[in-house]
């Protein structure tokens, strides 16, 4: 059976100076299927697909297409073999136009192949976007001016523009809204019908069950097994991924709701959001739901002083505060885990230790000197609590897998011991086991009296963890639901403006 | 969605306004400078002075084009001044032994060769451009002195007559430089290699993953820079009628200044030939005016430093 499959990766091993990312993996997949890859953070999923797309070289093993060995030593080789990838990390050139990004490396040329045919390029890029149903993007805009979800669509368009036989999507859904996700799934179905092989990586198991024809589970650089979605269920899949049964998925405890810790009244910022009023109590987890672009992140940034509001007031434990910078917000006791860890959450070129301790250096400073021992102990504890892997605090954050980077970003804010913790998409790109860990930590923090504002596009997460849910739409608060009232349908309808 | 869109649009407008503010600032400064010149000095608008002004900006104009290409890849080329000296002294010295065209060709190739060395060290060996070109700045200057410790005088009369001469009122060297700007513009905007260079400065990894040979394009950028610097050196020798081994020291600063004034972002991610021309011209105009009013060169340097700081400040990346 596996003999005649289109793609065969045989005995693939790869180590990154010291870390064995893949150990003799043999993996096969066929044209016309959506093959999902799942596994914990750091299991080696991204490494495996990067080897296939020529971005990374493997140490041992071989890759066969249609039974013939091929060498995919560079992205160019992989492109020629019909392999395209949308990577977990963005690979766009920010100051260039949508057109140029989509057609990067394959711009239409004239005369001797030297000259770029701009008119044709814009036409082609537009045609690709139209074909994919990604409307509302002007192909001449620099991609840096697009929102994250539009950027993701440009990434997808870029990969599809190469008319690949094998299309790799590494966690494409993390930054897409429901609407856009639906469009992506429709596109995948179309490509599948045109006998393309799609490799799909995601931590959201419901998605995987929805789109995949087969699911391969990776753990610690090895393949645990390949299953068909109809032969399994989420519980079994999770057992394969983490090697044990997870307890309760949303370890939400009965909240001991105390006095008001944060009160926001009439907060507005030109062009971002209008008249936001809500309050948050000690010990409460307040969910903030909305579609991508509804202004949730902007509200969080304003409360955190990153972009001060034009109007309105913020009270902390009853005291009026004016926060003009993140520094002031931190001193007042507000912390924010930002949604885009690469852009404003982490210093990728620094170590785990440096990143985790960055926001709390004054706390471990004596007479102007850092108390390295104390600092390391604190960092070590976070690394253990969050199961950051590998647990070596000297390792550069750049070398961590995506999910582990997210944990590092979270750990930094957990150390600040803030009164109010704003979490903007805290589990994006995080595996199931760690998700549960993060939820447990959230519950613990709430138990200790912290007020938590949870921003998320994942409905189950909002529903599972919040005591109360606010819904935002087009920069305004349009709904408030108690834990009992909130349901998936209600929140979605409210966020889409179908419910008052 | 409406909000995102309006946020995007207002951000876009803001970015554009901000960019324009800096551009308008420089354009206004430019016009004011010319007005000052015209009203306070009766020699400024003479044909002689204008043609002089153009002859003076030839060197910086050509070097800046190469510098721009390198800056676009996210690098920097500090060796340009030494390459100017190398090609000036080679073209002047060699024409005593070989025919003029051969001497010129050798000088150009020498510039290109230094570019290849810079490019290979940066692209293939992944060394920092700043360090690599600082090293070649020193090494090439050494080579110049090894070749000749004393100034070389061009012997072929055609050299000065043609390359240092005029077509009507237009200096030949200025004409060459003026042709190079549109050529570089076309290269950067209409040719595949040029677009790759522009993209590399924005996100090198993205370019690599798109199946483009990054090293080759980085090397090309440094070769272009070496080539333009060499051209500048030849034309300088032809204009002055002598090639000092010490010529060209500090030229990299003027070139970087011209690029930055013209909108280039150090580290890659913005800049172009038109803006750079504006930068070259503005700097040339300032020199010309200050000379006309007999301001000491020290003050000129202070002023230039301030202008660079202002330009960088006005164009710093948002956030
Ligand atoms: N550039 C690198 N340098 C060093 N180690 C790396 C590098 N990239 C990945 N690793 C390591 O290789 C292992 C596998 O990483 P990989 O990115 O493939 O995981 P993943 O399954 O994609 O995880 P995630 O779900 O978090 O994205 C991890 O232990 C990671 O730390
Ligand atoms: Mg990954």
């Amino acid at each position: 059976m596996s003999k005649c499959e289109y793609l065969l990766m045989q005995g693939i091993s790869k180590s990154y100076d010291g870390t064995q990312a893949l150990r003799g993996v043999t993996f096969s997949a066929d044209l016309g299927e959506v093959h999902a890859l799942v596994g914990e953070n750091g299991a080696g999923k991204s490494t495996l697909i990067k080897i296939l797309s020529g971005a990374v070289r493997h140490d041992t093993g071989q890759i066969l297409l249609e039974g013939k060995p091929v060498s995919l030593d560079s992205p160019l080789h992989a492109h020629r073999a019909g392999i395209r990838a949308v990577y977990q990390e963005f690979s766009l050139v920010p100051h260039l136009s949508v057109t140029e990004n989509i057609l990067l490396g394959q711009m239409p040329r004239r005369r001797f192949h030297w000259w770029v045919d701009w008119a044709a390029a814009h036409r082609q890029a537009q045609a690709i976007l139209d074909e994919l149903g990604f409307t509302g993007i002007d192909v001449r805009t620099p991609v840096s001016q697009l929102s994250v979800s539009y950027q993701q669509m440009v990434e997808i368009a870029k990969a599809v523009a190469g008319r690949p036989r094998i299309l790799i999507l590494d966690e494409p859904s993390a930054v897409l809204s429901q609407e856009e996700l639906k469009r992506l799934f429709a596109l995948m179905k179309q490509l599948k019908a045109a006998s393309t092989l799609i490799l799909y990586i995601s931590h959201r198991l419901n998605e995987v069950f929805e789109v995949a024809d087969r699911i391969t589970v990776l753990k610690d650089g090895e393949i645990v097994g390949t299953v068909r979605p109809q032969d399994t269920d989420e519980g079994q899949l999770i057992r394969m991924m983490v090697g044990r049964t997870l307890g309760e998925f949303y370890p939400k405890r009965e909240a001991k709701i105390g006095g008001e810790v944060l009160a926001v009244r009439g907060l507005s910022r030109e062009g971002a959001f209008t008249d936001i009023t809500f309050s948050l109590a000690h010990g409460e987890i307040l969910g903030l739901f909305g579609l991508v672009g509804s202004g949730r992140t902007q509200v969080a940034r304003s409360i955190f002083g990153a972009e001060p509001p034009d109007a309105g007031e913020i009270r902390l434990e009853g005291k009026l505060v004016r926060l003009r910078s993140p520094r002031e917000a931190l001193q007042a006791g507000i912390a924010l885990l930002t949604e885009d860890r690469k852009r404003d959450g982490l210093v990728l070129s620094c170590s785990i230790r440096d990143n985790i301790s960055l926001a709390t250096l004054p706390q471990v400073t004596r007479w102007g000197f850092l108390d390295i021992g104390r600092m390391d102990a604190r960092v070590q504890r976070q690394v253990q609590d969050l199961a950051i892997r590998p647990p070596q605090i000297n390792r550069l954050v750049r070398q961590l897998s995506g999910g582990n980077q997210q944990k590092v970003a979270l750990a930094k804010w957990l150390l600040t011991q803030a009164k109010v913790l704003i979490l903007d998409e805290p589990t994006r790109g995080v595996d199931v086991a760690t998700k549960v860990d993060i939820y447990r930590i959230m519950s613990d923090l709430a138990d200790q009296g912290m007020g938590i504002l949870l921003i998320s596009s994942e409905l189950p997460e909002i529903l599972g963890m919040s005591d109360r849910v606010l819904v935002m739409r087009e920069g305004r608060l349009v709904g408030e639901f108690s834990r009992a009232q909130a349901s998936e349908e209600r929140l979605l309808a409210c966020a889409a403006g179908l419910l008052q | 969605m409406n909000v995102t869109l309006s946020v995007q649009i207002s951000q876009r407008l803001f970015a554009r306004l901000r960019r324009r503010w800096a551009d308008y600032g420089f354009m206004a400064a430019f016009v004011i400078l010319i007005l000052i010149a015209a009203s306070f000095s009766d020699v400024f608008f003479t044909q002689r002075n204008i043609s002089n002004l153009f002859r003076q900006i030839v060197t910086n104009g050509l070097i800046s084009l190469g510098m721009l290409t390198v800056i676009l890849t996210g690098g920097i080329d500090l060796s340009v001044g030494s390459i100017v000296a190398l090609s000036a002294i080679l073209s002047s010295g060699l024409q005593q032994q070989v025919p003029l065209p051969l001497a010129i060709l050798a000088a150009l190739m020498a510039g290109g060769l230094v570019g290849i060395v810079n490019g290979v060290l940066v692209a293939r060996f992944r060394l920092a451009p700043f360090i690599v070109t600082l090293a070649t700045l020193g090494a090439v200057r050494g080579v110049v002195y090894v070749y000749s410790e004393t100034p070389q005088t061009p012997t072929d009369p055609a050299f000065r007559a043609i390359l240092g001469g005029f077509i009507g009122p237009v200096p030949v060297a200025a004409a060459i430089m003026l042709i190079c700007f549109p050529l570089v513009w076309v290269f950067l905007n209409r040719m595949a290699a040029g677009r790759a260079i522009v993209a590399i400065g924005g996100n090198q990894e993205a370019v690599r993953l798109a199946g483009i040979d990054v090293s080759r394009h980085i090397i090309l950028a440094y070769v272009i820079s070496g080539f333009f610097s060499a051209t500048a050196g030849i034309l300088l020798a032809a204009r002055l009628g002598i090639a000092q081994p010490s010529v060209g020291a500090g030229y990299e600063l003027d070139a970087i200044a011209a690029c930055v004034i013209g909108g280039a972002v150090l580290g890659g991610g913005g800049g172009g030939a038109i803006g750079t021309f504006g930068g070259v011209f503005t700097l040339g105009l300032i020199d010309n005016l200050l000379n006309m009013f007999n301001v000491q060169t020290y003050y000129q340097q202070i002023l230039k430093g301030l202008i660079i700081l202002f330009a960088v400040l006005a164009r710093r990346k948002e956030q």
Side-chain angles (χ1 to χ4, degrees):
Chain A
M1 151 90 189
S2 68
K3 264 279 172 298
C4 55
E5 295 208 58
Y6 183 73
L7 167 71
L8 175 60
M9 299 176 79
Q10 213 166 30
I12 304 282
S13 292
K14 167 78 193 173
S15 76
Y16 294 104
D17 40 45
T19 327
Q20 192 73 32
L22 291 175
R23 307 161 200 269
V25 164
T26 295
F27 170 74
S28 62
D30 214 351
L31 293 181
E33 76 166 328
V34 174
H35 199 122
L37 284 171
V38 298
E40 287 179 287
N41 294 132
K45 307 178 294 290
S46 298
T47 305
L48 186 67
I49 63 97
K50 279 184 187 162
I51 287 170
L52 181 58
S53 71
V56 160
R57 278 192 210 188
H58 50 285
D59 302 333
T60 62
Q62 62 171 350
I63 301 171
L64 295 92
L65 292 180
E66 288 182 296
K68 284 189 283 292
V70 286
S71 78
L72 305 172
D73 293 339
S74 77
L76 189 59
H77 285 108
H79 287 187
R80 295 217 177 104
I83 302 168
R84 292 279 169 156
V86 173
Y87 297 98
Q88 195 170 2
E89 299 83 23
F90 275 130
S91 54
L92 296 172
V93 186
H95 70 289
L96 295 187
S97 66
V98 170
T99 295
E100 234 177 328
N101 272 287
I102 291 180
L103 299 175
L104 196 61
Q106 46 184 347
M107 290 285 272
R109 314 277 185 84
R110 286 180 303 166
R111 271 174 277 160
F112 310 120
H113 241 60
W114 286 7
W115 301 85
V116 174
D117 187 343
W118 276 105
H122 288 311
R123 259 198 323 271
Q124 272 183 29
Q126 190 65 60
I128 291 163
L129 287 176
D130 288 347
E131 192 184 324
L132 303 186
F134 296 167
T135 45
I137 299 180
D138 175 6
V139 291
R140 283 161 219 262
T141 337
V143 293
S144 59
Q145 285 166 17
L146 299 178
S147 69
V148 187
S149 57
Y150 279 150
Q151 290 184 4
Q152 180 69 303
M153 301 211 280
V154 172
E155 288 270 19
I156 295 169
K158 178 167 124 186
V160 174
R163 311 270 161 214
R165 303 298 316 270
I166 301 179
L167 175 65
I168 300 164
L169 301 168
D170 193 351
E171 290 192 44
S173 56
V175 295
L176 295 181
S177 69
Q178 310 273 336
E179 194 55 35
E180 291 154 347
L181 196 59
K182 243 184 250 158
R183 228 171 284 157
L184 174 64
F185 286 172
L187 169 70
M188 286 166 63
K189 208 171 269 167
Q190 225 173 305
L191 290 172
K192 192 169 94 173
S195 100
T196 310
L197 163 60
I198 299 172
L199 297 180
Y200 188 85
I201 300 180
S202 176
H203 286 294
R204 302 187 187 165
L205 296 183
N206 53 346
E207 271 173 22
V208 168
F209 274 98
E210 187 178 337
V211 297
D213 299 303
R214 279 192 294 174
I215 306 169
T216 289
V217 182
L218 273 161
K219 179 168 167 52
D220 298 331
E222 283 171 277
I223 287 195
V224 181
T226 298
V227 292
R228 291 175 185 283
Q230 58 267 31
D231 304 334
T232 182
D233 57 36
E234 288 203 12
Q236 193 197 346
L237 209 57
I238 290 172
R239 260 196 311 284
M240 288 172 77
M241 284 163 63
V242 303
R244 64 189 156 93
T245 336
L246 288 184
E248 172 128 48
F249 204 86
Y250 296 106
K252 174 87 183 94
R253 271 166 252 152
E254 192 59 46
K256 292 177 292 203
I257 297 191
E260 180 181 88
V261 58
L262 174 75
V264 173
R265 219 158 300 285
L267 210 64
S268 301
R269 203 176 81 224
E270 184 69 36
F273 52 84
T274 320
D275 197 19
I276 302 292
T277 300
F278 68 87
S279 75
L280 173 68
H282 280 291
E284 184 182 33
I285 300 179
L286 177 61
L288 182 53
F289 180 72
L291 302 179
V292 174
S294 58
R296 298 165 304 170
T297 296
Q298 302 301 328
V299 171
R301 289 176 64 86
S302 279
I303 296 175
F304 188 55
E307 274 152 89
D310 303 330
E313 57 176 48
I314 298 171
R315 282 173 193 278
L316 258 179
E317 295 182 319
K319 269 210 313 278
L320 190 65
V321 288
R322 293 202 56 199
L323 308 170
R324 276 153 313 201
S325 70
R327 185 184 152 82
E328 290 177 3
L330 269 173
Q331 279 165 352
I334 301 179
L336 166 70
L337 174 70
T338 54
E339 72 175 327
D340 185 346
R341 60 173 175 261
K342 289 278 156 51
R343 200 180 61 200
D344 40 32
L346 292 169
V347 188
L348 292 178
S349 54
C350 284
S351 66
I352 295 180
R353 173 213 273 132
D354 293 342
N355 273 282
I356 293 184
S357 55
L358 188 62
T360 45
L361 290 177
Q363 294 178 18
V364 288
T365 306
R366 288 279 167 276
W367 313 109
F369 290 96
L370 284 177
D371 181 347
I372 302 283
R374 225 160 74 83
M375 178 167 120
D376 282 2
R378 286 158 55 104
V379 169
Q380 229 19 299
R381 250 206 75 177
Q382 291 297 324
V383 167
Q384 260 154 32
D385 281 358
L386 294 181
I388 293 172
R389 251 176 288 159
Q392 302 152 1
I393 60 175
N394 281 322
R395 193 167 271 268
L396 299 188
V397 166
R398 169 172 300 129
Q399 302 172 344
L400 300 184
S401 74
N404 280 301
Q405 290 182 354
Q406 180 71 352
K407 292 192 218 169
V408 170
L410 178 64
K412 174 174 66 182
W413 299 117
L414 294 183
L415 273 183
T416 62
Q417 294 168 327
K419 298 183 197 126
V420 173
L421 178 61
I422 308 174
L423 301 171
D424 195 354
E425 306 282 3
T427 63
R428 170 178 298 170
V430 165
D431 68 45
V432 269
T434 315
K435 263 187 191 170
V436 177
D437 287 344
I438 291 179
Y439 297 148
R440 183 181 43 73
I441 290 165
M442 280 169 63
S443 283
D444 289 350
L445 293 170
D447 260 0
Q448 293 158 24
M450 190 186 270
I452 297 177
L453 181 63
L454 169 66
I455 301 176
S456 174
S457 313
E458 270 189 76
L459 272 172
E461 174 171 303
I462 288 266
L463 292 170
M465 291 309 296
S466 313
D467 296 301
R468 207 152 45 95
V469 184
L470 303 174
V471 180
M472 268 188 88
R473 191 172 93 83
E474 297 186 352
R476 288 174 184 279
L477 278 181
V478 292
E480 177 177 342
F481 301 86
S482 70
R483 186 170 172 82
Q485 291 167 333
S487 73
E488 205 152 310
E489 295 76 35
R490 277 198 175 151
L491 293 187
L492 266 179
C494 190
L498 305 172
L499 184 88
Q500 291 315 313
Chain B
M1 275 302 140
N2 270 333
V3 175
T4 3
L5 262 186
S6 64
V7 168
Q8 276 172 22
I9 288 168
S10 65
Q11 278 173 350
R12 202 178 306 167
L13 272 181
F14 182 65
R16 206 168 276 171
L17 275 182
R18 186 181 175 117
R19 165 68 55 80
R20 290 227 169 124
W21 169 75
D23 288 343
Y24 287 145
F26 280 113
M27 280 182 221
F30 189 74
V31 173
I32 291 170
L33 281 177
I34 292 188
L35 288 179
I36 291 176
S39 49
F40 288 95
S41 157
D42 37 358
V43 285
F44 180 76
F45 268 123
T46 55
Q47 195 193 40
R48 197 186 133 88
N49 186 50
I50 299 284
S51 132
N52 242 333
L53 170 62
F54 271 98
R55 284 180 94 183
Q56 280 157 1
I57 64 174
V58 166
T59 310
N60 192 31
L62 289 169
I63 298 174
S64 298
L65 279 173
M67 185 68 78
L68 170 71
T69 315
V70 171
I71 287 178
L72 283 173
T73 66
I76 196 143
D77 188 351
L78 301 179
S79 66
V80 289
S82 299
I83 299 177
V84 166
L86 180 67
S87 83
I89 210 145
L90 276 184
S91 59
S92 302
L94 284 178
Q95 58 185 266
Q96 295 158 19
Q97 290 114 38
V98 300
L100 182 58
L102 226 59
I104 290 176
L105 194 67
L108 288 177
M109 298 226 312
L113 192 71
V114 179
I116 290 180
V117 172
N118 283 334
V120 167
L121 289 173
V122 169
R124 296 241 196 274
F125 293 86
R126 301 187 185 284
L127 302 176
F130 182 86
I131 306 296
V132 168
T133 58
L134 191 61
T136 43
L137 171 146
V140 171
R141 181 69 66 185
V143 171
V144 171
Y145 277 101
V146 167
Y147 178 76
S148 167
E149 273 181 63
T150 53
Q152 292 282 336
T153 323
T155 46
D156 193 326
F159 185 59
R160 293 206 65 186
I162 297 174
L163 293 179
F166 293 81
I167 317 170
V170 184
V172 171
I176 293 176
M177 175 201 70
L178 289 176
I179 292 169
C180 285
F181 272 90
L183 284 182
V184 169
W185 185 89
V186 168
F187 172 70
L188 292 175
N189 291 285
R190 292 281 181 266
M191 292 181 74
R195 290 320 289 171
I197 284 176
V198 173
I200 286 169
N203 185 347
Q204 185 167 330
E205 180 65 3
V207 176
R208 184 180 81 90
L209 293 175
I212 296 171
D213 187 338
V214 172
S215 307
R216 203 166 67 195
H217 287 101
I218 290 181
I219 294 172
L220 177 63
Y222 283 92
V223 170
I224 289 174
S225 179
F227 184 78
F228 274 121
S229 299
T231 312
I234 294 165
L235 294 178
L236 190 63
R239 172 158 72 94
L240 300 176
I242 189 164
Q244 303 270 5
S246 63
V247 72
Y251 281 13
E252 65 281 352
L253 192 64
D254 281 4
I256 295 168
C259 293
V260 172
I261 291 173
V265 181
L266 291 180
I274 299 174
T276 302
F277 184 74
V280 169
F281 208 89
T282 307
L283 283 178
L285 197 60
I286 291 170
D287 275 348
N288 184 275
L289 288 181
L290 294 179
N291 279 332
M292 216 154 47
F293 294 123
N294 291 318
V295 180
Q296 282 185 337
T297 42
Y298 315 122
Y299 292 109
Q300 294 190 19
Q301 283 174 349
I302 294 174
L303 187 65
K304 240 186 252 175
L306 289 177
I307 291 172
I308 297 176
L309 284 181
F310 174 74
V312 176
L313 206 63
R315 300 189 192 283
R316 70 182 193 273
K317 283 184 187 166
E318 278 166 60
Q319 290 179 347

